[in-house]
Amino acid sequence: MSANVKNTENICNITITTSEVFDIDLTSLCPDKIRQKLKRDFLNQVQSRWFQQHYNLLAYLSTKFNNTTLIEVGTFRGLGALALSYNKTNKVISYDIQNLREINNTDNIEFRIKNIYDDAELILDCPFIFFDAGTYEFDDPDAGKFEKEFYNFLTANKYKGIVLYDDIYLSKEISNFWKNIKQPKHDLSKVGHMYSRGVEQNSKRKFFTKCGSGLIDFSGNVNIVDDCQQP
């Protein structure tokens, strides 16, 4: 799959300082209309950073770009797009093939229910993409398929931005995909989506699942300053 892209020189020359991720205050993005459970999930940054979601990281990354379009692949409830909307100079476009979101459009978010490849030129021309649209069911034959397909699409079209993949350790297939990536990559799990809590349906026993946040630097110009102390 290829696309005719006018601007393929989306060179990202940015520095990510891990200690600054937790300085982001997400409360400004939580209007009263977001129901309480969503608000608790979104503001889950207290007590243990190991069980942090990736919302602080997404909001922080949005500050590294100005006056441009940021893309999310996989809307679900819409909280990832909400975090990406932190920097109001940018526009966020979030894609899904079904409407499951629990928030409405904000001033700088547009939700699109469509195949992302229908907007191939737009996607390839944006400097940052957040990918959160994988399949992780146990023994699912399609596990990792979309991640690889999207990565191959970007590679084939010489994409020059950066991509943050969610859940890079959630299954063997996804872990192998992440391991085999050839471009410069950075594991940002400790300031992103490190673990998630879960409860077994039958026993009600609580468990923890390693998720992970991985940044692929197609631009070759991302500098990581890892000065965040382990929690």
Side-chain angles (χ1 to χ4, degrees):
M1 185 180 298
S2 62
N4 180 20
V5 182
K6 296 179 181 178
N7 175 22
T8 58
E9 298 302 319
N10 287 318
I11 305 301
C12 303
N13 189 6
I14 66 174
T15 296
I16 297 172
T17 304
T18 56
S19 64
E20 296 176 353
V21 172
F22 295 104
D23 293 334
I24 296 291
D25 182 3
L26 296 173
T27 56
S28 64
L29 297 178
C30 290
D32 292 336
K33 62 185 177 183
I34 298 181
R35 63 185 178 83
Q36 285 303 114
K37 183 180 185 303
L38 283 177
K39 187 177 291 189
R40 287 197 304 271
D41 290 349
F42 191 67
L43 298 178
N44 180 26
Q45 59 179 314
V46 297
Q47 297 181 4
S48 175
R49 289 179 180 176
W50 286 112
F51 303 101
Q52 168 90 11
Q53 293 286 333
H54 42 263
Y55 305 125
N56 271 69
L57 177 59
L58 290 172
Y60 172 76
L61 290 173
S62 78
T63 68
K64 299 299 177 178
F65 306 92
N66 290 291
N67 303 305
T68 191
T69 298
L70 309 179
I71 298 292
E72 178 186 46
V73 182
T75 304
F76 190 39
R77 292 186 295 175
L79 296 182
L82 186 63
L84 281 177
S85 75
Y86 183 84
N87 181 355
K88 298 302 181 183
T89 73
N90 298 319
K91 179 179 180 180
V92 177
I93 302 179
S94 181
Y95 290 84
D96 213 316
I97 57 174
Q98 56 184 331
N99 186 0
L100 298 174
R101 71 177 184 271
E102 299 180 43
I103 65 171
N104 295 317
N105 291 34
T106 64
D107 291 342
N108 62 328
I109 304 177
E110 178 185 346
F111 295 104
R112 296 185 180 182
I113 307 298
K114 64 187 301 186
N115 188 316
I116 57 170
Y117 299 123
D118 292 341
D119 290 344
E121 291 189 19
L122 172 64
I123 290 168
L124 293 169
D125 199 46
C126 77
F128 176 81
I129 300 170
F130 172 50
F131 186 97
D132 191 11
T135 301
Y136 310 115
E137 297 296 330
F138 182 70
D139 285 339
D140 191 326
D142 290 330
K145 182 178 179 180
F146 190 23
E147 287 86 348
K148 295 174 187 176
E149 176 188 283
F150 188 68
Y151 169 79
N152 290 336
F153 162 74
L154 296 176
T155 302
N157 286 280
K158 297 180 174 58
Y159 177 67
K160 297 297 183 181
I162 63 176
V163 181
L164 183 72
Y165 269 87
D166 188 34
D167 297 325
I168 58 172
Y169 298 120
L170 201 53
S171 72
K172 180 179 69 175
E173 293 81 5
I174 308 305
S175 296
N176 288 337
F177 159 73
W178 173 253
K179 180 180 178 180
N180 291 321
I181 287 172
K182 304 303 181 184
Q183 282 82 5
K185 60 185 178 181
H186 308 279
D187 188 336
L188 298 179
S189 300
K190 73 175 181 179
V191 292
H193 197 182
M194 188 60 179
Y195 287 93
S196 287
R197 293 183 174 93
V199 179
E200 290 183 351
Q201 291 185 348
N202 296 328
S203 66
K204 304 301 181 183
R205 182 179 65 88
K206 295 182 179 180
F207 65 91
F208 304 111
T209 301
K210 187 175 182 180
C211 298
S213 298
L215 188 78
I216 306 175
D217 178 17
F218 288 89
S219 74
N221 288 286
V222 175
N223 179 41
I224 303 291
V225 178
D226 188 3
D227 61 347
C228 180
Q229 297 297 316
Q230 297 283 351

